[in-house]
Amino acid sequence: MKFKAFLTENGVNLLEKRFLPAFDKMGKSCYLFLTKDHFFFLHNLLNGDGVQCIAQFRIDVLFDDYRLSSQNDDRIAFSLDVSLLYRAVKSSVSICTEFSGGLASNRLQIKLVKKLPPNCTQPMPFLTFETKGYKSAVIQDVPISKPLSRSQVVELQTALDSAQDLPPTLVQVQDPNQLQNFVDRVKHVGDVLNVTISKHGDLQVQISTTLVRLGSEFQRLSVIGEKSQAPAEDRNLSAQARSERAIARGDAQSVQVSVKHFSKSLQCHLTKPDSAFYGIAPQGACLTVIFQFMVPGTRQTDKSISLHCRLPVLDPGSN
């Protein structure tokens, strides 16, 4: 089992400035899943109790001189502490910049190694970052779990494949700050958030208690997938009435999610996406958020990077 590569300048920027800060906010640990063609960050994928978060990169976006081999069909997966990984990347980049005038003149190498830690009798696996100066090398070691077995890799791949299913209707939110501001205002009011998405391009988020009901509505959003025209007679109705009628017609779905989970999913905006799409899986299985990245300077989707979250749905009886 071998992995060795050099991080590109773009790869360092994506990890240090965007994706690692986001995943550091999502939780303590995640899986790194490496294949011949793609590199994944997988948070909470094998645990249905919290927010699942999946980031996928095409290899050439992050790495040069990428070398990977294993007996698991050239797939390697392991878990690690995201904060330690983030700290190692930041430290390595700082060293490169300070002593070598930047990453262009001193590339940052990443590889899997086994080392014998102090006071241990068995070698342990590490993800190592190495930058070589004129007379010395600086090494940052990040401890990792034992790489997953063949059956565990298959289980991880199966979970990843099933997490790629798209909701039938997705609505596009261009400005995440409005959602963030709403959640910041209501997160101390209650623990459960009602989310309604219609085929007309409406997104409603609402929190209700026995004393108060607070909500925010986004209308006439762009729709991908199944869409329909809102009846003219609904135009003068309240948001609550419109959503109830749309649900009754089969033109909308509504689910309840944890305010904490919804707030955590908004941390993904640290990755600087150009927009986000919200959708509800069939039978209200989960709330899905797909983040869109554009090729810089264009309006074309950057297909080399993808990021999405799946929020577990609460039992309506638990409210």
Side-chain angles (χ1 to χ4, degrees):
M1 183 177 294
K2 296 180 180 179
F3 163 61
K4 181 167 64 173
F6 287 95
L7 278 163
T8 63
E9 284 192 80
N10 183 45
V12 169
N13 180 64
L14 284 170
L15 295 181
E16 184 202 11
K17 303 293 186 183
R18 297 167 62 180
F19 281 83
L20 285 178
F23 270 78
D24 192 32
K25 297 284 188 182
M26 295 297 291
K28 180 177 175 61
S29 66
C30 74
Y31 283 103
L32 264 59
F33 186 28
L34 293 68
T35 72
K36 280 292 187 182
D37 301 314
H38 294 97
F39 184 94
F40 297 87
F41 285 98
L42 306 174
H43 171 70
N44 216 26
L45 188 61
L46 299 179
N47 183 355
D49 294 335
V51 179
Q52 294 182 347
C53 192
I54 299 167
Q56 174 181 310
F57 304 88
R58 206 171 60 208
I59 290 301
D60 61 332
V61 173
L62 296 182
F63 303 112
D64 278 335
D65 196 14
Y66 181 82
R67 301 179 186 181
L68 174 76
S69 63
S70 82
Q71 294 180 345
N72 292 337
D73 300 322
D74 290 330
R75 296 178 296 179
I76 299 174
F78 51 86
S79 63
L80 48 63
D81 186 315
V82 180
S83 63
L84 295 181
L85 176 62
Y86 184 25
R87 190 184 310 163
V89 171
K90 285 197 297 182
S91 178
S92 298
V93 170
S94 176
I95 291 167
C96 282
T97 304
E98 182 177 355
F99 294 105
S100 307
L103 287 163
S105 59
N106 185 6
R107 296 197 300 168
L108 181 59
Q109 188 181 58
I110 178 174
K111 58 185 176 181
L112 280 178
V113 300
K114 272 192 171 185
K115 292 185 177 182
L116 189 64
N119 304 319
C120 290
T121 58
Q122 294 291 330
M124 303 290 290
F126 292 89
L127 188 64
T128 292
F129 294 84
E130 181 175 338
T131 175
K132 294 180 179 179
Y134 177 62
K135 293 184 178 180
S136 63
V138 178
I139 295 173
Q140 304 275 336
D141 290 330
V142 179
I144 65 172
S145 71
K146 180 181 178 182
L148 271 58
S149 65
R150 176 179 291 273
S151 62
Q152 290 171 324
V153 168
V154 169
E155 180 186 9
L156 191 68
Q157 182 70 64
T158 301
L160 178 60
D161 292 342
S162 66
Q164 306 287 359
D165 295 338
L166 292 178
T169 298
L170 289 163
V171 295
Q172 184 179 25
V173 177
Q174 295 280 6
D175 184 7
N177 290 326
Q178 292 175 289
L179 278 172
Q180 184 68 65
N181 292 338
F182 173 75
V183 171
D184 288 342
R185 291 200 313 270
V186 304
K187 62 184 178 183
H188 300 300
V189 176
D191 300 324
V192 177
L193 190 70
N194 295 286
V195 180
T196 303
I197 295 173
S198 78
K199 298 177 182 179
H200 316 319
D202 297 338
L203 169 65
Q204 295 177 16
V205 287
Q206 183 183 92
I207 191 166
S208 302
T209 69
T210 54
L211 299 176
V212 66
R213 175 182 290 172
L214 298 171
S216 183
E217 182 182 34
F218 304 82
Q219 289 185 278
R220 293 181 290 278
L221 301 174
S222 296
V223 178
I224 291 179
E226 296 179 9
K227 60 182 74 175
S228 63
Q229 194 71 29
E233 60 268 24
D234 284 7
R235 292 174 184 170
N236 297 323
L237 298 177
S238 67
Q240 182 75 18
R242 284 201 311 276
S243 66
E244 289 174 355
R245 287 169 60 90
I247 291 171
R249 290 193 304 269
D251 286 340
Q253 275 187 287
S254 183
V255 292
Q256 292 183 336
V257 297
S258 161
V259 172
K260 182 179 178 181
H261 289 165
F262 195 85
S263 180
K264 182 175 284 191
S265 72
L266 292 174
Q267 298 297 330
C268 286
H269 288 286
L270 291 171
T271 64
K272 302 177 184 177
D274 291 279
S275 66
F277 291 86
Y278 285 78
I280 297 173
Q283 287 78 51
C286 68
L287 175 66
T288 300
V289 189
I290 300 172
F291 300 91
Q292 184 181 41
F293 300 88
M294 298 296 189
V295 176
T298 75
R299 297 308 299 166
Q300 295 180 340
T301 300
D302 187 346
K303 295 182 180 180
S304 65
I305 304 171
S306 70
L307 174 67
H308 74 277
C309 291
R310 287 156 50 101
L311 282 67
V313 171
L314 303 177
D315 182 344
S318 66
N319 185 6

